[in-house]
Amino acid sequence: MVYKNLTDVLVAHNYLTTEVAEKINLERLKSGESEEEIILQKRLLSDLDFAKVKAEFLRVPFVNLEEIGFAPEALALVPQSVAEKYKVVPYKMDTKDKSLWVAMGNPLDLETVEFLEKKTNLKIKTAMSEVKQIESFIREKYEREKGITSEVTKALDEQKIDSFKAEGSQRQKVSAEAPIAKIVSTILEYAVKSRASDIHIEPLEENVRIRYRIDGILQEKYVLPRNVLEAVVSRVKILANLKIDEKRMPQDGRFNISVDGTDVDLRISTLPVSYGEKVVMRLLRKAQKVPSLPDLGLRGLALKNLIESIERPHGIIIVCGPTGSGKTTTLYSVLDKVATSKVNVVTIEDPVEYQMKGVNQVQVNVQAGLTFASALRSFLRQDPNVIMVGEIRDTETAELAINAALTGHLVFSTLHTNDASGAPPRMIDMGVEPFLLTSALTCVVAQRVLRKVCQSCVTSDELKSDNEAVLKETLGPIFDMIADKWKKEGKTLTIPHPNGCDKCNNTGYLGRIAIYEVMPISEKIAKMVVEKSSAASIQKQGMDEGMLTMKQDGFVKVLEGVTTLEEVLRVAQY
């Protein structure tokens, strides 16, 4: 759609009302200032949103530099001094049509485009980006990424990729000396320094995408040339002692690295996909401190109920949630609380993620016949007080865990259900007798993990009526209690607004916290389980007894300034 004025775009996207747009046009005629100057002076929308709107008005592409990976070989084509002078960011290169994509604050600056074309001997394609993002990108990428930029350039210029086809020890010698080794090293170092939990090396049709999972969210960091894929994957396979020539089957391996004194275990998984082999690396930090239960996000009645369940000498406590919801971390925090010199604690895990003092930790080894069920049988002959089973995956493990709890042991385990009330019906579906389940089960915990706002750049927004309605509907009387407390302190209800700074990599979020629902198995709930009541009925009873749902716990944390409404809805809206 073609727009006559910038204000027309703003009205179309509901940034302005028609009345405000008319006032801006009148002010423009009176003062002689441009629409853009008036809009920026009035701070009617964020700089990023304004850049998006302006790009649509000018009918040019828009690129958010915080959400894309950059191509090191593109960055190498434009010196830092040139990028700083002309406020440009070379972020993508197309070898097929010999073009270079450049982000600019003013993509219609034809003089700069012409200068870049002469300097690079490539066709320049422009996209609009927000000026502060461009300045931040230049500052960060040119200074911090010199290593990978130069090594990618060397790898392409010196054509060392073919040397990976050598065999035996010669192959390993070449790979250690090649620029590829330094590229992989840079990828790993960035992961450790940025607190990433996973690295994804993904082959696409035209390039190779490197993404990191930071605070639970995948972020694209690098875009490497397509012809370095085989070399990068080979280098990772060498480190993990995998078969380099096996490209048709998935492989698993592991290796260790140390970055600035931090020792990290990496679990490697390769998978053949459409355009080559995808590699995912899970980072497990060896010296990572086990957080306390309050540090994880437990508080109030939920914390009290869980501690009371932990302090019982026997029974089973189940932690529920999907993969990546922090269940294992919660179990480690619980074990850290109960593991003393007077207690024998044994665990069976897949894999052992934290090394805990005073705890006998066993790693699953299916090939050797060591499964959750077989280990659990052996544990009962090891005179245990506390048993932790990493996951209840089948009927046999479920029955053994229940029997262990019934014979005087304290058992902890995890289960894949959406909420706490779904755990008892799931166990019954697995074949556990309801009367045995209610005799053994003492507490069910469900959780999700969400990002915390960065305290260095967070600001507060006054609570709008639509958000207030959402909070009131979910929290009920709890919202009124919090509102009254704020009112007594002479404050207006606010919610946090993430902005972004250097500390949080311009995301507005830094670190993670969990939201919980803790459901103790009361007499009424036990009776409902025996009667095979629905999960919804069990949840209603739990709430009647004071249980906060995960969504409610999340909204309370929003009003406390810990996280945002969007984060809670992202992880707890089901």
Side-chain angles (χ1 to χ4, degrees):
M1 185 174 177
V2 179
Y3 296 97
K4 289 183 179 180
N5 300 308
L6 197 54
T7 49
D8 294 339
V9 194
L10 292 168
V11 171
H13 290 284
N14 297 317
Y15 286 114
L16 297 181
T17 61
T18 308
E19 292 76 15
V20 173
E22 288 173 357
K23 287 180 182 177
I24 289 172
N25 286 324
L26 283 172
E27 191 174 333
R28 175 174 62 84
L29 294 171
K30 287 179 182 177
S31 65
E33 292 180 305
S34 68
E35 274 184 313
E36 183 173 339
E37 288 172 329
I38 296 167
I39 292 164
L40 290 173
Q41 284 171 11
K42 292 182 178 293
R43 304 292 299 169
L44 297 170
L45 67 167
S46 70
D47 292 340
L48 186 64
D49 287 334
F50 180 76
K52 288 179 185 175
V53 167
K54 190 176 176 183
E56 187 174 343
F57 176 62
L58 297 175
R59 286 186 286 172
V60 296
F62 172 82
V63 61
N64 186 341
L65 293 174
E66 290 173 6
E67 295 179 355
I68 63 161
F70 78 97
E73 74 274 21
L75 202 68
L77 292 169
V78 179
Q80 184 175 354
S81 57
V82 173
E84 287 175 340
K85 181 179 180 181
Y86 294 99
K87 295 287 187 293
V88 297
V89 165
Y91 65 93
K92 187 170 72 172
M93 185 175 171
D94 191 334
T95 52
K96 289 181 181 177
D97 64 357
K98 294 183 178 179
S99 62
L100 179 69
W101 279 93
V102 175
M104 304 172 66
N106 179 14
L108 301 184
D109 183 353
L110 299 180
E111 284 186 21
T112 299
V113 171
E114 187 179 348
F115 170 76
L116 291 173
E117 284 183 340
K118 286 179 181 177
K119 183 153 189 74
T120 61
N121 290 320
L122 294 170
K123 181 183 177 183
I124 299 298
K125 294 183 178 179
T126 60
M128 170 160 282
S129 190
E130 199 257 314
V131 175
K132 287 180 183 175
Q133 278 193 0
I134 291 173
E135 291 172 347
S136 175
F137 190 101
I138 293 169
R139 187 170 61 250
E140 289 181 20
K141 298 300 183 285
Y142 277 99
E143 291 300 322
R144 298 182 189 177
E145 312 298 346
K146 286 178 182 176
I148 195 165
T149 301
S150 62
E151 298 309 331
V152 168
T153 306
K154 283 181 191 175
L156 295 173
D157 289 347
E158 298 174 17
Q159 296 297 309
K160 289 189 177 181
I161 309 307
D162 292 338
S163 63
F164 278 81
K165 295 177 181 177
E167 293 296 328
S169 60
Q170 179 63 27
R171 172 193 62 188
Q172 296 189 15
K173 183 181 177 185
V174 170
S175 70
E177 294 171 353
I180 295 298
K182 294 181 181 176
I183 292 172
V184 172
S185 177
T186 303
I187 290 170
L188 295 175
E189 284 178 16
Y190 181 83
V192 176
K193 291 175 180 177
S194 62
R195 303 173 296 103
S197 61
D198 300 87
I199 307 168
H200 291 240
I201 301 174
E202 300 172 301
L204 304 177
E205 186 176 4
E206 296 178 352
N207 48 46
V208 181
R209 179 169 65 174
I210 312 294
R211 294 194 291 174
Y212 296 87
R213 191 173 292 280
I214 302 171
D215 291 333
I217 304 295
L218 276 173
Q219 298 178 18
E220 190 173 318
K221 174 67 177 175
Y222 303 116
V223 179
L224 302 181
R226 181 86 175 97
N227 54 353
V228 304
L229 171 65
E230 191 174 336
V232 168
V233 173
S234 295
R235 174 62 182 163
V236 173
K237 284 183 173 181
I238 287 169
L239 291 170
N241 290 318
L242 301 179
K243 296 177 183 177
I244 293 180
D245 55 349
E246 179 55 82
K247 300 175 182 177
R248 299 168 300 170
M249 295 291 291
Q251 294 186 70
D252 296 312
R254 62 192 312 156
F255 64 91
N256 303 322
I257 60 168
S258 181
V259 177
D260 295 339
T262 302
D263 292 326
V264 180
D265 277 334
L266 290 106
R267 291 207 330 262
I268 313 303
S269 173
T270 68
L271 183 72
V273 293
S274 298
Y275 297 109
E277 280 186 284
K278 177 179 177 179
V279 178
V280 174
M281 295 182 265
R282 167 66 57 89
L283 283 75
L284 304 171
R285 288 156 182 82
K286 289 182 180 179
Q288 194 162 343
K289 186 183 174 185
V290 177
S292 68
L293 293 173
D295 288 342
L296 293 177
L298 275 160
R299 62 194 65 189
L301 184 63
L303 180 60
K304 178 175 176 286
N305 286 335
L306 181 56
I307 289 175
E308 284 178 359
S309 300
I310 293 167
E311 289 173 346
R312 292 187 184 183
H314 54 81
I316 183 168
I317 297 170
I318 294 176
V319 182
C320 304
T323 302
S325 59
K327 302 186 297 295
T328 306
T329 303
T330 297
L331 284 181
Y332 278 127
S333 298
V334 169
L335 287 181
D336 192 50
K337 192 170 180 63
V338 300
T340 66
S341 58
K342 297 178 181 179
V343 176
N344 179 21
V345 181
V346 286
T347 75
I348 175 69
E349 306 170 53
D350 185 21
V352 174
E353 294 188 14
Y354 295 86
Q355 298 288 345
M356 296 189 69
K357 289 182 180 179
V359 176
N360 304 288
Q361 295 172 275
V362 179
Q363 168 92 34
V364 166
N365 188 340
V366 178
Q367 291 178 338
L370 183 57
T371 63
F372 284 115
S374 64
L376 199 44
R377 279 199 198 88
S378 300
F379 285 176
L380 296 176
R381 295 190 290 273
Q382 288 282 318
D383 185 31
N385 299 102
V386 178
I387 298 171
M388 194 266 267
V389 183
E391 185 183 337
I392 294 176
R393 294 178 177 173
D394 51 45
T395 301
E396 186 182 13
T397 308
E399 289 177 344
L400 286 167
I402 294 294
N403 288 331
L406 290 171
T407 52
H409 303 92
L410 183 58
V411 181
F412 301 104
S413 192
T414 68
L415 198 63
H416 288 278
T417 61
N418 283 334
D419 49 28
S421 58
R426 176 67 58 83
M427 294 285 282
I428 291 169
D429 288 343
M430 282 184 171
V432 177
E433 291 292 341
F435 67 92
L436 291 177
L437 180 61
T438 52
S439 300
L441 191 60
T442 57
C443 184
V444 183
V445 179
Q447 67 178 90
R448 297 288 188 280
V449 176
L450 42 73
R451 296 179 292 171
K452 295 195 294 184
V453 290
C454 174
Q455 295 302 317
S456 298
C457 59
V458 65
T459 54
S460 296
D461 286 348
E462 193 171 329
L463 192 60
K464 294 179 181 176
S465 56
D466 53 344
N467 288 337
E468 185 175 338
V470 171
L471 292 168
K472 268 187 177 179
E473 184 184 354
T474 303
L475 291 175
I478 300 169
F479 179 86
D480 296 329
M481 287 170 58
I482 294 171
D484 289 342
K485 184 184 175 185
W486 281 62
K487 195 173 181 180
K488 285 177 183 176
E489 294 174 359
K491 299 176 183 176
T492 307
L493 268 178
T494 60
I495 56 176
H497 176 78
N499 292 296
C501 62
D502 290 341
K503 283 188 178 179
C504 60
N505 199 23
N506 293 308
T507 61
Y509 296 94
L510 185 65
R512 292 197 286 174
I513 196 167
I515 52 175
Y516 288 92
E517 58 186 44
V518 178
M519 185 179 75
I521 306 302
S522 64
E523 286 185 18
K524 287 184 179 179
I525 290 176
K527 186 180 178 184
M528 294 175 77
V529 172
V530 171
E531 293 169 353
K532 296 186 178 180
S533 298
S534 67
S537 302
I538 294 172
Q539 185 182 52
K540 185 178 182 303
Q541 180 59 38
M543 291 174 71
D544 290 344
E545 294 175 9
M547 178 186 81
L548 283 184
T549 65
M550 286 179 285
K551 197 172 179 182
Q552 288 176 325
D553 186 31
F555 283 167
V556 169
K557 286 180 169 73
V558 169
L559 293 172
E560 289 174 348
V562 176
T563 188
T564 61
L565 207 59
E566 293 77 18
E567 272 295 288
V568 177
L569 294 174
R570 179 179 67 83
V571 302
Q573 187 80 326
Y574 56 85

